[in-house]
Amino acid sequence: MSDRAAETYARSLFDLASASDAVDAVDEGLRAVAAAIRGHAGMREALADPGVPVEKKRAILRDAFGEAVAPETLSLVTLIVERGRVDLLGEVAARYAEIAEEERGIVAAEVTTAIELTDSARARVVEKLTSALGRPVTLRERVEPAMLGGIRIKVAGRVLDGSLSSQLASMRAALSTAGAGGEA
């Protein structure tokens, strides 16, 4: 249910933002609001508490974000809070970003590395993927220390796995199927 609700909210907000030529501003604002609420336990609890009057919740949102975000963003966040769905904000923000990228023809690539990419490495990955795909690419980065090293990229339905852990697994498999040698 939450996936469908998040999709509906995100699509509605995208349509509103498109009509007022505010897609980027709404994207940035929605991410900032979701992060701020996620990072501030007191605010999150107050907005999720059914005992707090709706007008008080509206005032909290207006005071915290009214001047900082596009009106469309504030309206949607207020609606979500009023309906008791504060837990959906992060999902709505993520889905909105995906919709905006799809509409612009941007390809999202999920990049997993053992350590955080440097700015120059990130730029090289984006440049190579953009060149290979012939379309602009944005990265969704994840750090997974268990990879040991290398990089794994999921893009356009394909997985490019150059991680050290997958290379070690391939070597293990090759060695386990090789005959026991030693005699010449």
Side-chain angles (χ1 to χ4, degrees):
M1 155 102 182
S2 67
D3 285 345
R4 219 170 79 199
E7 173 74 26
T8 301
Y9 284 127
R11 177 54 67 184
S12 298
L13 182 58
F14 181 80
D15 292 344
L16 281 172
S18 293
S20 59
D21 198 27
V23 172
D24 292 334
V26 168
D27 187 17
E28 189 176 307
L30 188 56
R31 288 180 203 228
V33 169
I37 291 173
R38 182 177 49 248
H40 193 287
M43 180 186 294
R44 188 176 59 250
E45 289 168 10
L47 294 174
D49 186 350
V52 174
V54 171
E55 195 48 52
K56 176 72 173 161
K57 293 177 183 182
R58 286 185 194 140
I60 291 169
L61 292 170
R62 252 191 330 271
D63 292 345
F65 308 111
E67 298 295 318
V69 299
E72 297 88 351
T73 304
L74 186 60
S75 294
L76 183 83
V77 170
T78 302
L79 177 67
I80 290 172
V81 167
E82 288 174 358
R83 292 192 174 168
R85 299 304 311 264
V86 176
D87 60 311
L88 267 184
L89 275 175
E91 199 174 333
V92 171
R95 187 60 193 123
Y96 179 91
E98 290 170 3
I99 291 169
E101 289 167 352
E102 289 167 11
E103 293 292 328
R104 290 185 184 116
I106 297 172
V107 178
E110 185 180 306
V111 175
T112 306
T113 54
I115 59 171
E116 189 172 327
L117 289 172
T118 63
D119 289 341
S120 63
R122 185 177 297 112
R124 282 193 311 272
V125 170
V126 167
E127 181 184 324
K128 289 194 183 278
L129 288 173
T130 298
S131 174
L133 297 171
R135 292 177 36 200
V137 173
T138 186
L139 302 183
R140 292 209 172 77
E141 298 176 47
R142 237 177 31 171
V143 174
E144 194 176 290
M147 282 183 58
L148 305 176
I151 188 169
R152 182 173 49 240
I153 302 170
K154 292 181 184 177
V155 63
R158 288 180 275 168
V159 177
L160 310 166
D161 195 344
S163 66
L164 185 55
S165 56
S166 74
Q167 291 173 23
L168 289 172
S170 293
M171 289 192 336
R172 242 183 253 114
L175 288 172
S176 70
T177 59
E183 301 275 329

